Amino acid sequence: MRHVISVHDFSVEEIVEVLDRAEGMVAIARGEATSDLLRGKVLACIFFEPSTRTRLSFETAMNRLGGGVIGFAGTEATSVVKGETLADTIRMVSGYADAVVLRHPHEGAARLATEFSSVPILNAGDGAGQHPTQTLLDLFTIRRETGRMEGLNISLVGDLRYGRTVHSLAIALAKLGNKINLVSPQGLEMPNEVVGYLEDAGLFGTACHLPDEVIAETDILYVTRIQKERFPDPVEYEKVAGIYRVDPGLVAKGPGSMIIMHPLPRVKEIAPEVDALPQARYFIQAFNGVPVRMALLSMLVGGD
Ligand code: NCD
């Protein structure tokens, strides 16, 4: 049995295998072709934290492959409010389904869940930890939109401290041989563990506080939301809220071939006028969650 908990669990070859398989899923994801690959299989999506894209794209992926979905979005209507532990919830749900997609506010929750599960666990975000399936869809987007996934100059912008998407993505991008610039407000810098990984790989570019400093040499501008819900003190959030706004003026300072990505949801960090620019790829990126999650499910649940 194989779980998907961290990008550290994937070799470059395995990443490429998932992405290649996802290419073959695009027509099914769009509804232009049909598939019964996972008929009779059940996916449990248990989300202890809010989600739109991750949960719905996993559900669409399973449905489009002919499987079924159970689960909950928010714990209000579950036995969690009665005091049930994560361990017991996982023991039980893994008896109802062939794989479990888990999102949880605590870092390490997905790894813990593997100890109690009889089926594969897919980490759909564990607090400020990791978000490996988001990284796979980000890489799929990068490969499709730029034609490559190595030798790129990638600037990660925003809340690098609490943002789980950028923790996973930075590591995967370094594994693949890309140079990473880190752009964050004071106090929201990338954790040392990730910075150390980039340094060891010789792929740590520039660390700075403003995107203007790196935009001219950026192939991919990856923007993230300030993770309001992770701040211990709301006053600290207010100090950095709205600190960045990617607008057409900033985009014009980058290379014409630069693309802009964002895991979404966006709040104010990308101006709506950017949506119409050819550089904007974040909605395509959100769609790509479907074929990539289809690929993962077919590998984990489909038995091949
Ligand atoms: C992200 C998350 O939940 O970490 N959303 C997502 O899954 N696409 C990013 C965020 O919430 O800012």
Side-chain angles (χ1 to χ4, degrees), residues 50 53-54 103 131 134 164-165 225 227 229 262-265:
R53 274 150 293 274
T54 304
R103 171 169 288 186
H131 196 346
Q134 176 73 41
R164 53 197 174 200
T165 64
R225 176 178 71 88
Q227 308 280 296
E229 65 277 28
H262 190 308
L264 302 179

Side-chain angles (χ1 to χ4, degrees), residues 79-240:
S79 288
V80 173
V81 292
K82 299 180 185 173
E84 184 161 66
T85 62
L86 178 63
D88 283 359
T89 302
I90 295 294
R91 278 189 183 104
M92 215 209 15
V93 171
S94 69
Y96 297 160
D98 299 292
V100 177
V101 179
L102 170 69
R103 171 169 288 186
H104 197 279
H106 294 157
E107 204 170 321
R111 184 73 70 194
L112 180 79
T114 63
E115 292 177 28
F116 304 100
S117 180
S118 53
V119 299
I121 298 283
L122 293 104
N123 181 9
D126 60 325
Q130 289 235 354
H131 196 346
T133 68
Q134 176 73 41
T135 291
L136 290 167
L137 78 89
D138 291 344
L139 296 175
F140 185 72
T141 305
I142 290 170
R143 196 175 75 167
R144 284 202 128 203
E145 299 299 318
T146 71
R148 61 197 173 118
M149 332 190 252
E150 59 174 315
L152 293 163
N153 208 333
I154 300 172
S155 299
L156 306 178
V157 180
D159 186 347
L160 308 185
R161 177 178 183 180
Y162 296 119
R164 53 197 174 200
T165 64
V166 281
H167 299 165
S168 297
L169 183 60
I171 293 163
L173 287 172
K175 266 189 202 215
L176 291 160
N178 298 280
K179 197 173 108 192
I180 322 288
N181 301 311
L182 303 175
V183 185
S184 61
Q186 198 110 39
L188 296 183
E189 286 87 3
M190 186 65 94
N192 288 336
E193 177 210 327
V194 180
V195 173
Y197 188 91
L198 302 182
E199 281 171 346
D200 290 349
L203 292 163
F204 183 45
T206 306
C208 57
H209 295 305
L210 288 174
D212 306 64
E213 292 180 38
V214 289
I215 191 95
E217 43 169 89
T218 292
D219 297 310
I220 297 177
L221 189 70
Y222 191 97
V223 188
T224 64
R225 176 178 71 88
I226 307 289
Q227 308 280 296
K228 184 179 182 181
E229 65 277 28
R230 308 261 179 253
F231 280 68
D233 181 353
V235 176
E236 294 303 309
Y237 172 72
E238 289 308 326
K239 284 186 196 161
V240 287

